[in-house]
Amino acid sequence: MLDTSVLIADPTCVLEFRDVDVVVPLTVVEELDGLKSRSDDVGRAARTALRTLEELRVRHGGSLAEPVPTGADNATLQIEINNIRKHLLLEHGLDASVPDNRIIGAAIGQSDFGPTTMISNDAALRIKAAHLGVDAAEHRLTTSDRPTAAIGWTTIDAAYEAIDCLYAAGAIAVDAVLGADAEQPRENEFAVLRCGSQSALVRTVDDEFVLLPQQSPEPWGLRPRNKEQRFALELLLDPDIAVIALDGRAGTGKTLLAIAAGLEMVVEQRQYERLAVYRPLVPVGRADVGFLPGGLDEKLDPWMSAIHDAIVALSDQGNSHDASNLVDELTDRGQLSLESVTFLRGRSLQRQMVLIDEAQNLEPTTLRTILTRVGDGTKVIFTGDTSQIDAPYLGENNNALSVLAGAFADQRCFGHITLTACERSSVASLAAELL
C-alpha cells in the first residue's frame, strides 16, 4: 500500500516493485490531483505519478480497479476504491474524512486478503498504521546494491610491509592489503592504513590504494583542519571527479571547502570559467520569495547570505567589506553567479564549477534535472545536511543528496564524503555535541 508521499518522492516507483501486489488508494489519486497544479518539484512529481498510472490504465483496458501487471517481476498494480474500514478508524478516534486516515483504512481492508505493508515517508502515518495493526515501512529510493557509506572513508589495519611498499611505490593493490576475499572499497573511497605508529592516507582508484600527497592542498589559503576536510579537498580539486556529494552537520565546513576550491580553480587556476552557486528557496515556514521587496538580486539575498559568510571567512581577517567587494568584482567579471535552483531548467552548464548548496531540500526529480544540465568540463558539487530537511515529502533517505550518494556509488567520476567534526568554533562544536 503506497501513500502520497512515496509517489511524490519517487513518481515512477509503481513500476519498480517486484514480487508484490502494489495497491494505491483512490484517496492518493485525489491528493495527487490537488498537487499537480503546483509549479514546483512537488507539482511536477504529482503530474509524473498521475501520467504513470494513466499509462498503465490505458495499456490494460481502461481500468485499474482490478490488479494489472506492471511489467516488473511478478508485480501487479491496483487502485483501491472501496474496502475502507471506517468503523475501525472511528473506534480508534481517527477522523475517516482525513485523507491519511482513509489510506490507513484502505490498508486495513487489504490485510483481509494477505500480509499488507504500508509504505510511507510520513512518520505520523506510519505510527498510526502500526497502532492499528498494519505493518509500516519507509520508502528507500536508491539504485545502489550496497548501503551508502557512512562517511566515505574508513580505517584499515595493514601490515607494515604493505605501508612501506605504498610509500616506496606511491600505490599498492587493494588485494595486497585486504586480501582477495574481503569486501572491496568503493571507487574514490578514502582510507587510513595503520600499523602501530605507521599510517598512510590513501584513495581508492580502480583496484589500487593511491597514496595522497604529503603536502595538504590549501585552496584560496584554506588549510584543512582534519582528515575528512583533507579528503573532501582531494575530490574538490581533482578535475576528473565531475560529481561530488558533501554531507555533514552545521559547522563541518561543507560550503566553505566548496567555495574555497571553486575560487581557487576559477580565479587562480582558471580551469573553469565560472563558479555558479545555486540554492533551493525552501525557508522555514515556506515564505514565498515573491513577497520580498526589491529586484531579483535583493530577493535572493536572504538565501545567499551563507555564501557571503563563507567568502568572508576566506578573506583576510574575516573582513566583510573586502568580501563584498570580492563578490561584486567576480560577479562583474562573470566568474561568480548566485542563483536559485529554479533557474536551472533549460540551462546547459559548460566549463563551470557548480555548487548546489542545501541539496537535502531537493527532490530526486530535481537532482535528475540538474545533472542532465551538465555539459563538457563541468564539475557539480552537492552539499547539505541530511539530518536537517525543511522540504515536505522528503526524509533522510529520499532527498536528492542521499539518492545521489546511493545511485552514483562506485562511479569513477563520483566522490562522497560525510563530514562529522564541527570546526566552525569551539562554541559551535559544543552546541552540536551538547544540544
Side-chain angles (χ1 to χ4, degrees):
M1 180 73 68
L2 304 183
D3 90 325
T4 309
S5 64
V6 173
L7 292 173
I8 291 298
D10 191 0
T12 61
C13 67
V14 295
L15 305 177
E16 299 170 2
F17 287 96
R18 290 173 171 79
D19 299 314
V20 295
D21 299 315
V22 180
V23 179
V24 177
L26 190 61
T27 301
V28 169
V29 178
E30 280 190 296
E31 288 197 297
L32 291 174
D33 186 48
L35 294 170
K36 70 181 183 183
S37 60
R38 289 175 53 161
S39 59
D40 57 7
D41 293 315
V42 172
R44 284 192 288 272
R47 294 191 293 272
T48 302
L50 288 171
R51 284 195 297 268
T52 302
L53 296 175
E54 172 66 2
E55 289 171 1
L56 282 173
R57 183 190 70 81
V58 173
R59 189 189 311 162
H60 295 288
S63 176
L64 297 175
E66 298 295 329
V68 301
T70 63
D73 298 338
N74 301 317
T76 66
L77 172 70
Q78 175 188 6
I79 292 181
E80 179 57 67
I81 300 175
N82 299 306
N83 206 27
I84 298 175
R85 301 305 173 86
K86 295 182 180 180
H87 66 284
L88 291 177
L89 296 175
L90 294 174
E91 288 177 8
H92 288 79
L94 298 178
D95 185 352
S97 65
V98 175
D100 279 0
N101 295 339
R102 291 177 62 83
I103 294 171
I104 296 173
I108 295 173
Q110 285 297 312
S111 64
D112 292 343
F113 305 106
T116 302
T117 301
M118 164 67 68
I119 306 297
S120 173
N121 292 325
D122 185 339
L125 190 146
R126 295 198 302 270
I127 292 170
K128 290 191 289 186
H131 184 68
L132 270 69
V134 178
D135 289 340
E138 184 178 9
H139 177 54
R140 295 180 178 272
L141 194 160
T142 177
T143 58
S144 175
D145 293 331
R146 299 174 58 181
T148 303
I151 55 176
W153 66 277
T154 185
T155 300
I156 299 173
D157 292 327
Y160 71 89
E161 296 92 348
I163 296 180
D164 289 343
C165 180
L166 174 67
Y167 275 106
I172 188 172
V174 172
D175 290 347
V177 178
L178 300 178
D181 298 331
E183 182 180 7
Q184 300 299 297
R186 290 171 166 171
E187 189 74 12
N188 293 315
E189 186 172 356
F190 294 88
V192 180
L193 303 187
R194 283 183 176 173
C195 179
S197 60
Q198 282 186 305
S199 66
L201 303 180
V202 297
R203 175 171 147 198
T204 307
V205 179
D206 295 327
D207 58 351
E208 290 186 323
F209 284 134
V210 177
L211 183 67
L212 299 188
Q214 295 299 306
Q215 183 65 35
S216 174
E218 297 183 12
W220 208 255
L222 178 66
R223 178 177 299 177
R225 295 187 177 183
N226 53 51
K227 293 188 295 293
E228 298 163 352
Q229 291 190 356
R230 169 74 189 278
F231 297 151
L233 285 178
E234 291 292 333
L235 296 174
L236 290 167
L237 297 174
D238 186 344
D240 293 330
I241 306 299
V243 184
I244 298 172
L246 298 182
D247 188 6
R249 62 186 181 179
T252 53
K254 310 177 296 297
T255 303
L256 187 65
L257 292 167
I259 293 292
L263 293 175
E264 178 72 22
M265 301 188 79
V266 170
V267 180
E268 297 294 334
Q269 300 183 18
R270 298 186 179 274
Q271 294 191 26
Y272 303 95
E273 294 180 355
R274 175 188 299 174
L275 172 60
V277 182
Y278 294 88
R279 301 193 90 204
L281 305 186
V282 186
V284 177
R286 304 290 293 173
D288 194 315
V289 65
F291 293 118
L292 295 176
L296 179 60
D297 290 341
E298 292 173 290
K299 289 177 182 291
L300 291 178
D301 272 346
W303 282 270
M304 296 304 171
S305 297
I307 307 303
H308 285 272
D309 292 344
I311 296 178
V312 169
L314 292 170
S315 63
D316 292 337
Q317 300 178 348
N319 190 309
S320 59
H321 179 71
D322 292 344
S324 296
N325 290 338
L326 176 61
V327 171
D328 293 339
E329 179 184 348
L330 295 177
T331 302
D332 292 340
R333 282 158 43 183
Q335 292 182 308
L336 176 67
S337 65
L338 307 177
E339 300 182 59
S340 163
V341 172
T342 308
F343 306 131
L344 265 172
R345 182 168 292 274
R347 299 284 299 276
S348 181
L349 306 174
Q350 306 287 341
R351 295 198 68 242
Q352 297 186 29
M353 195 162 182
V354 179
L355 169 60
I356 311 296
D357 202 25
E358 301 293 339
Q360 80 280 1
N361 285 327
L362 297 177
E363 285 83 3
T365 51
T366 308
L367 171 66
R368 181 175 180 178
T369 299
I370 293 171
L371 291 179
T372 54
R373 303 297 99 204
V374 174
D376 291 334
T378 291
K379 179 194 286 282
V380 186
I381 306 154
F382 294 84
T383 65
D385 180 1
T386 52
S387 66
Q388 187 174 336
I389 297 175
D390 302 314
Y393 303 107
L394 296 182
E396 290 191 29
N397 299 305
N398 70 335
N399 64 85
L401 196 60
S402 297
V403 171
L404 174 67
F408 269 60
D410 291 319
Q411 297 297 318
R412 179 67 185 88
C413 65
F414 176 72
H416 169 226
I417 288 291
T418 298
L419 303 164
T420 58
C422 180
E423 299 289 354
R424 179 168 290 160
S425 67
S426 58
V427 173
S429 181
L430 280 174
E433 292 292 337
L434 302 178
L435 301 178

